[in-house]
Amino acid sequence: MDLGHYQHLLVYGAGVMGRRMVQELDCYCADKLSGIAVTDMRGNPEEISSYPVKSISSYNGSLSQDNTAVLISVTRAAVEIAETVQKNGFSHIFVLDPGFENILLENYLVTELDRLRKEV
């Protein structure tokens, strides 16, 4: 899957891995990074690196779901999070491994970050 054709990228997760993902994406595709989604705002910051942190339900309707890829940074609960993301109307969902070298979803493997780096 080519992330280049999505107008918006939404990172799911505001923890350590989400912050790392935001830092990495901010270097290579800041114009597409629309924010950070979480299940619940309790205990989460309002922003990370100047990108808004909002509940996934808050993004429902504010971003074009056909043109938005949701990148899940929380691998240990990825299935449950993917279900939550789908319930909120998003269908382009990817789970990133901790090294950000591969994007994984239902046995689909792509080295997407390398491609993004080469485009810059």
Side-chain angles (χ1 to χ4, degrees):
M1 180 57 68
D2 179 6
L3 291 180
H5 76 274
Y6 294 104
Q7 291 178 347
H8 305 282
L9 300 177
L10 198 56
V11 171
Y12 198 103
V16 173
M17 296 308 293
R19 290 170 190 268
R20 284 185 57 204
M21 188 182 300
V22 167
Q23 288 175 343
E24 191 74 19
L25 292 171
D26 191 39
C27 292
Y28 299 102
C29 51
D31 59 322
K32 293 180 179 278
L33 188 53
S34 297
I36 299 96
V38 294
T39 303
D40 188 339
M41 283 301 296
R42 285 179 288 179
N44 285 303
E46 291 185 16
E47 66 178 38
I48 294 174
S49 300
S50 75
Y51 294 99
V53 177
K54 301 184 205 177
S55 68
I56 188 67
S57 60
S58 296
Y59 284 106
N60 186 352
S62 67
L63 296 175
S64 168
Q65 294 166 338
D66 290 336
N67 292 316
T68 301
V70 180
L71 312 174
I72 299 175
S73 67
V74 186
T75 56
R76 70 184 173 280
V79 173
E80 294 86 359
I81 291 170
E83 290 172 356
T84 299
V85 171
Q86 284 179 327
K87 287 177 186 174
N88 281 277
F90 296 95
S91 58
H92 306 287
I93 304 166
F94 303 90
V95 179
L96 275 65
D97 75 358
F100 304 120
E101 296 300 323
N102 301 306
I103 296 176
L104 304 164
L105 180 65
E106 296 176 6
N107 301 323
Y108 191 76
L109 178 65
V110 176
T111 55
E112 184 62 31
L113 199 52
D114 287 338
R115 189 197 60 72
L116 288 172
R117 286 181 178 137
K118 290 175 186 174
E119 287 183 358
V120 173

